[in-house]
């Protein structure tokens, strides 16, 4: 039995009891009726509401949830760009992030109350989408913080010992302290680039790779290498 | 439905009606996978639940003497509530 079934059951029981009380409020005169009223109008609705909120919050992490708004659709498509130098595409296609929570995994804040702040930003997105004016080109509320990358990459061998990350003395420390952005020009600069999406070749999951294509299993090339 | 209700029962009816409406909205949004569902869940759904529960809790702490005994007819409670103190 999954959580949705349990929640549906809880809502059904709560609704039946609340309906009973609505049509026969006089049953609350007895002690048993009072207990029933307390359960029907307080305990069960609180449980059902909390369960529903929790489920809605979990669902709001889905990639499909984010990309269901028109303005975000092209960002969802950019996850399938067939070019390993594109950072989100390489992460998405190589399962470095969970595909069904791709947007959330990279755009949440891995800090105290980060999850809560992400939800608040999400509510702001919803407000703009349905009640405000959607900007032509959405921009981040604040510059992307390396902390979100380091949540997974910190301590990883290919990050700590990577030749480019250690090319100069102190570069690794600069990256770790967010003084040098991972998305700096010449590093992992190719992100969503939705403006150039029209001419891009897209990857189709499950499609047979062409014989002459390089494997995308290797680490994505940086902008520096590409140039 | 036509019986005379005490003020507490009237509030209980209102509270359970609001909770029922909130639960129906919640049930409708559970399987709806869209940001609009999230808004609908929060705005009418959670709000109705919250107001319903609030009305119920307020009704518990107000008008404590106007509850009816199990065997007592509705009219006697009405007349008792109208008696001068």
């Amino acid at each position: 039995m999954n959580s949705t079934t349990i929640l549906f059951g809880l809502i059904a029981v709560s609704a039946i009891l609340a309906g009973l009380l609505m049509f026969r409020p006089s049953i609350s005169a007895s002690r048993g009726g009072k207990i029933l009223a307390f359960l029907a109008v307080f305990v069960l609705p609180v449980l059902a509401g909390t369960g529903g909120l929790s489920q809605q919050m979990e669902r709001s992490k889905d990639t499909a949830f984010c990309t269901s708004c028109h303005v975000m659709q092209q960002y969802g498509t950019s996850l399938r760009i067939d070019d390993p130098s594109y950072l989100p595409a390489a992460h998405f296609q190589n399962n470095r992030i969970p595909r069904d929570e791709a947007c959330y995994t990279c755009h949440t804040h891995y800090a105290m109350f980060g999850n809560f702040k992400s939800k608040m930003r999400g509510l702001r997105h919803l407000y703009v989408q349905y009640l405000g004016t959607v900007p032509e080109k959405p921009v981040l509320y604040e510059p992307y913080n390396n902390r979100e990358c380091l949540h997974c990459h910190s301590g990883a061998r290919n990050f700590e010992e990577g030749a480019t990350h250690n090319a100069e003395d102190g570069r690794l420390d600069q990256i770790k302290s967010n003084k040098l952005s991972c998305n700096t020009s010449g590093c992992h600069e190719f992100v969503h680039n939705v403006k150039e999406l029209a001419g891009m070749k897209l990857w189709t999951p499950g499609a047979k790779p062409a014989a002459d294509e390089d494997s995308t299993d290797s680490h994505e090339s940086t902008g520096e290498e590409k140039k | 439905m036509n019986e005379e209700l005490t003020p507490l029962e009237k509030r209980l009816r209102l509270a359970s009606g609001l909770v029922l409406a909130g639960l129906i909205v919640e049930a409708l949004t559970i399987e709806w996978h869209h940001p609009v569902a999230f808004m609908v869940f929060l705005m009418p759904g959670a709000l109705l639940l919250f107001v319903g529960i609030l009305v119920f809790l307020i009704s518990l702490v107000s008008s404590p003497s106007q509850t009816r005994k199990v065997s007592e007819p509705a009219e006697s409670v009405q007349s008792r509530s109208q008696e001068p103190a």
Side-chain angles (χ1 to χ4, degrees), chain A residues 9-201:
Chain A
L10 191 61
I11 291 171
V13 172
S14 309
I16 289 166
L17 294 179
L20 182 69
L21 269 172
M22 195 173 88
F23 290 104
R24 295 288 305 278
S26 55
I27 61 169
S28 65
S30 66
R31 178 175 290 179
K34 283 184 177 67
I35 293 169
L36 183 77
F38 188 70
L39 280 173
V41 194
F42 184 74
V43 179
L44 293 176
V46 166
L47 288 175
T50 310
L53 184 66
S54 165
Q55 194 168 54
Q56 293 284 351
M57 289 297 223
E58 277 303 306
R59 194 177 294 158
S60 68
K61 293 178 182 175
D62 287 358
T63 308
F65 181 93
C66 303
T67 56
S68 62
C69 289
H70 178 71
V71 71
M72 283 294 144
Q73 280 171 1
Q74 51 191 348
Y75 288 86
T77 308
S78 76
L79 297 174
R80 296 195 292 115
I81 293 174
D82 196 8
D83 184 340
S85 64
Y86 279 75
L87 198 62
H91 278 73
F92 179 81
Q93 292 166 27
N94 295 305
N95 284 347
R96 292 186 189 126
I97 50 171
R99 283 185 193 166
D100 53 353
E101 291 181 5
C103 311
Y104 173 81
T105 306
C106 292
H107 287 281
T108 190
H109 287 182
Y110 292 101
M112 191 177 269
F113 307 120
N115 200 4
F116 175 75
K117 285 177 184 169
S118 297
K119 301 299 176 193
M120 288 295 110
R121 283 201 306 277
L123 280 178
R124 192 168 156 188
H125 294 338
L126 287 175
Y127 173 80
V128 171
Q129 172 72 21
Y130 295 111
L131 302 168
T133 310
V134 181
E136 199 174 318
K137 186 186 183 305
V139 288
L140 296 174
Y141 294 121
E142 54 194 71
Y144 197 83
N145 196 314
N146 289 358
R147 175 191 59 212
E148 276 59 89
C149 308
L150 293 170
H151 179 71
C152 295
H153 291 284
S154 183
R157 187 180 174 186
N158 62 358
F159 170 74
E160 302 282 347
E161 297 178 10
T164 318
H165 298 155
N166 292 288
E168 297 164 15
D169 278 347
R171 183 184 274 190
L172 196 63
D173 290 335
Q174 283 187 315
I175 295 169
K176 286 184 174 178
S177 58
N178 198 37
K179 286 178 183 153
L180 179 66
S181 171
C182 299
N183 300 325
T184 306
S185 177
C187 299
H188 305 282
E189 63 182 309
F190 298 101
V191 191
H192 290 289
N193 290 19
V194 291
K195 275 187 179 172
E196 298 162 21
L197 200 59
M200 294 269 184
K201 188 184 168 197

Side-chain angles (χ1 to χ4, degrees), chain A residues 4 22 29 48 59 68 126 130, chain B residues 13 17 26 30-31 34-35 68:
Chain A
T4 308
M22 195 173 88
R59 194 177 294 158
S68 62
L126 287 175
Y130 295 111
Chain B
R13 171 172 281 176
E26 190 183 333
I30 283 181
E31 283 300 308
H34 197 271
R68 181 193 307 167

